[in-house]
């Protein structure tokens, strides 16, 4: 059996000159956990050119959605950013990843901390009704350089709030905290610093981040992951895995060099 299955592009949205999202058909047999990633790509010179992409749709949805950066000379993203409705995309058969609920111990609050395209796996997770049954609050934190880069995350949060079924689960539980670093905005600063100094929990009316009650999932650049892990370790957090659940899990956001 081939490692990749062709699927058809159903929708493409360009959010900024650096960011786009797209929806493709989903094979009936393709199963995944919310928060996981899969290899996707395009055939180039007769061979699959693929990268790991977080699935941004939830596993109850009929289509698969992805959120991507565009890198002008990136081997895959320079091609992928040109796709149109009706084109075909290769999708791997084995989704995987660390940002799954079973790797976390029970807690009161779930912080989803992201920068850039790192918001993608959390878009899947905040569409999962069961996450609202597990936690009192689910807090989506998204840090970007500029305000227009927040649009994909913000629209998803708005769509959840106005969804007849999901809206009821998320009401009063889903808290959204966007922040930017390179222009004036209602929240300004790096997510790591604003969690460390308590600005984010204070703004949301929550207690400071503590391992006893607060679970954390992190997806961002290597530098952001390193800073977040240092902060969590200084507060006695232990990393979780499927075989040994803990207080936090991390995954690198997709960036093509
Ligand atoms: P900054 O503007 O201060 O670099 P990028 O697009 O480069 O991935 O960045 C996305 C966001 O992540 C930007 O707001 C950027 O802030 C921020 N960022 C970069 N490095 C870190 C880090 N080590 N910790 C937290 N946020 C970071």
């Amino acid at each position: 059996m081939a490692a990749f299955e062709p699927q058809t592009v159903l929708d493409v949205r360009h959010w900024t000159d650096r960011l786009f999202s797209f929806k493709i058909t989903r094979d009936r047999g393709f199963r995944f956990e919310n928060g996981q990633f899969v290899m996707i790509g395009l055939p180039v010179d007769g061979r699959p050119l693929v990268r790991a992409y977080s699935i941004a749709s939830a596993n109850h949805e009929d289509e698969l959605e992805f959120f991507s950066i565009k890198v002008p000379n990136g081997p895959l993203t320079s091609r992928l950013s040109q796709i149109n409705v009706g084109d075909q995309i290769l999708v791997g058969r084995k989704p995987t990843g660390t940002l799954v609920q079973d790797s976390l111990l029970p807690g009161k609050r779930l912080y989803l901390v992201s920068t850039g395209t790192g918001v993608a796996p959390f878009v899947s997770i905040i569409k999962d009704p069961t996450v609202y049954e597990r936690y009192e609050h689910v807090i989506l934190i998204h840090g970007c350089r500029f305000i227009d880069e927040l649009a994909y995350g913000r629209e998803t949060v708005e769509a959840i709030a106005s969804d007849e079924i999901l809206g009821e689960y998320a009401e009063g539980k889903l808290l959204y905290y966007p922040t930017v670093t390179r222009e004036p905005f209602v929240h300004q600063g790096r997510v790591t610093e604003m969690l460390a100094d308590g600005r984010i929990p204070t703004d949301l009316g929550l207690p400071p981040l503590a391992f006893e009650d607060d679970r954390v999932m992190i997806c961002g650049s290597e530098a952001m992951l390193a800073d977040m892990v240092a902060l969590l370790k200084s507060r006695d957090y232990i990393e979780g895995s499927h075989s040994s659940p803990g207080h936090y899990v991390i995954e690198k956001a997709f960036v093509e060099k």
Side-chain angles (χ1 to χ4, degrees):
M1 195 161 51
F4 300 98
E5 174 100 27
Q7 296 295 335
T8 306
V9 177
L10 299 170
D11 188 39
V12 185
R13 282 189 74 176
H14 293 270
W15 297 88
T16 70
D17 54 6
R18 287 177 70 221
L19 296 169
F20 70 111
S21 64
F22 52 98
K23 285 185 186 167
I24 62 174
T25 50
R26 173 181 177 184
D27 190 281
R28 277 176 171 272
F30 183 84
R31 295 183 173 259
F32 65 98
E33 284 185 58
N34 296 317
Q36 286 189 316
F37 67 82
V38 67
M39 304 303 289
I40 64 166
L42 295 167
V44 175
D45 301 331
R47 290 173 52 189
L49 174 66
V50 294
R51 298 280 187 271
Y53 268 88
S54 290
I55 303 167
S57 43
N59 58 12
H60 63 261
E61 296 181 293
D62 292 336
E63 299 156 1
L64 294 178
E65 184 169 336
F66 302 93
F67 181 50
S68 180
I69 192 147
K70 306 176 197 176
V71 181
N73 298 315
L76 180 60
T77 61
S78 63
R79 293 177 167 94
L80 208 51
S81 59
Q82 314 277 325
I83 51 165
N84 290 299
V85 172
D87 290 350
Q88 297 221 307
I89 295 220
L90 300 173
V91 180
R93 293 179 186 275
K94 286 206 173 122
T96 182
T98 56
L99 303 177
V100 292
Q101 296 303 315
D102 287 351
S103 296
L104 293 176
L105 294 164
K108 278 193 191 163
R109 290 171 286 271
L110 176 64
Y111 279 85
L112 304 169
V113 184
S114 63
T115 52
T117 56
V119 75
F122 301 147
V123 164
S124 168
I125 289 171
I126 62 174
K127 288 191 209 163
D128 182 346
T130 65
V131 86
Y132 300 105
E133 292 171 344
R134 282 179 190 247
Y135 295 98
E136 289 174 14
H137 286 112
V138 177
I139 303 122
L140 175 64
I141 302 174
H142 190 199
C144 288
R145 297 180 190 186
F146 302 106
I147 297 165
D148 60 0
E149 295 170 335
L150 297 167
Y152 177 68
R154 187 186 59 238
E155 281 201 16
T156 305
V157 170
E158 287 167 359
I160 289 170
S162 56
D163 185 272
E164 210 178 314
I165 297 164
L166 267 180
E168 225 166 277
Y169 280 97
E171 195 181 356
K173 293 198 155 200
L174 175 59
L175 307 178
Y176 174 53
Y177 198 98
T179 173
V180 299
T181 45
R182 302 198 187 183
E183 65 180 325
F185 186 55
V186 53
H187 305 305
Q188 233 184 313
R190 285 188 166 193
V191 295
T192 43
E193 290 161 13
M194 299 172 85
L195 278 167
D197 67 15
R199 248 180 300 169
I200 293 177
T202 302
D203 284 350
L204 296 172
L206 301 173
L209 201 64
F211 78 88
E212 289 88 347
D213 292 328
D214 298 315
R215 301 293 158 260
V216 187
M217 292 183 142
I218 312 157
C219 191
S221 65
E222 217 137 2
M224 179 275 221
L225 295 182
D227 288 356
M228 268 308 296
V229 169
L231 166 66
L232 295 179
K233 285 193 171 162
S234 76
R235 298 191 188 190
D236 299 325
Y237 269 74
I238 293 169
E239 185 172 359
S241 67
H242 209 75
S243 54
S244 173
H247 308 123
Y248 75 94
V249 284
I250 61 170
E251 203 156 84
K252 200 153 55 115
F254 174 70
V255 239
E256 186 167 55
K257 301 221 170 81

